Amino acid sequence: MAVEAVETHVRAFFAGHEVEAVDYDLGPGRRDAVPRLRILVVAPGPRGDAWAYVTAGCWEVMQRGGHGLEFVMTAHARDERFLHLMAMVAYYHCGGHQLDLAHSMPIGEPWVPGSTCDHLLITLPYLHGPDLEHCPLPDGGHARILWTLPVTASEIEYRRRHGHEALEQRLDEAAIIPTDPFRRPVV
């Protein structure tokens, strides 16, 4: 029921956008980590000119006391690579490397070919705000939808030395375009 509730929340938030629900099978040996994984692919529309990719299924596996996480990524295009990347985030989170606000994870390759962004920073969904972030679920549960922001290795190193807030401040001061895969690193 949680997967459906997250999907309903995302569809309501992105009213006026085309939303495609893609059931994602992680394959043998990984399927059990997030057995009902769905990636919601949101086309550009009234809320913005970017694509959004939202997981549904992480909360169901990882929730504690009715509270858990899902993830959103905002991108410049509709691309299968972003579906796979969000599935990777879900598996990473549910398969033993629990993510949370201010965490990061390596992608293992550039976000898109030629990009210097090769990590994801888990942060608040600034592009979408708290109305997307806070997703009420049946029976009083709550999913928090956090943003997976593509960043560079040098930005992750800066965060390790100076803290999450310091990196967010640098990103804000540089007025990055978070959907630009070829943006310059802020440090």
Side-chain angles (χ1 to χ4, degrees):
M1 305 242 199
V3 171
E4 291 78 12
V6 170
E7 181 175 343
T8 298
H9 174 75
V10 168
R11 286 181 183 278
F13 178 81
F14 286 107
H17 293 249
E18 183 180 324
V19 179
E20 177 188 1
V22 177
D23 291 320
Y24 199 98
D25 185 349
L26 291 168
R30 294 183 174 186
R31 181 176 296 127
D32 291 342
V34 197
R36 292 186 358 108
L37 178 60
R38 186 173 293 164
I39 309 293
L40 306 170
V41 182
V42 182
R47 287 199 175 264
D49 61 356
W51 289 81
Y53 299 81
V54 186
T55 64
C58 296
W59 182 93
E60 201 167 76
V61 174
M62 298 296 290
Q63 67 88 18
R64 299 293 178 262
H67 301 284
L69 300 177
E70 296 291 350
F71 303 93
V72 60
M73 173 183 288
T74 310
H76 63 290
R78 166 100 168 69
D79 193 317
E80 291 296 310
R81 77 175 18 259
F82 301 132
L83 282 167
H84 301 311
L85 185 54
M86 292 309 289
M88 186 174 87
V89 169
Y91 180 74
Y92 190 88
H93 175 65
C94 298
H97 301 282
Q98 187 172 355
L99 295 168
D100 206 342
L101 186 63
H103 289 186
S104 63
M105 67 173 273
I107 298 173
E109 63 185 17
W111 182 35
V112 300
S115 175
T116 59
C117 296
D118 59 0
H119 285 73
L120 296 174
L121 181 67
I122 309 303
T123 189
L124 297 175
Y126 294 113
L127 288 181
H128 307 296
D131 289 343
L132 177 64
E133 177 186 355
H134 302 290
C135 173
L137 298 174
D139 301 324
H142 170 263
R144 187 174 192 196
I145 301 174
L146 295 178
W147 192 16
T148 57
L149 174 65
V151 295
T152 67
S154 64
E155 291 165 344
I156 291 299
E157 184 56 35
Y158 181 87
R159 181 190 58 109
R160 285 186 184 118
R161 283 182 290 173
H162 302 283
H164 183 78
E165 291 298 320
L167 175 57
E168 284 202 342
Q169 184 174 2
R170 294 293 289 267
L171 293 166
D172 189 47
E173 288 169 356
I176 67 161
I177 298 171
T179 57
D180 178 4
F182 306 108
R183 71 170 179 82
R184 298 179 72 110
V186 300
V187 291

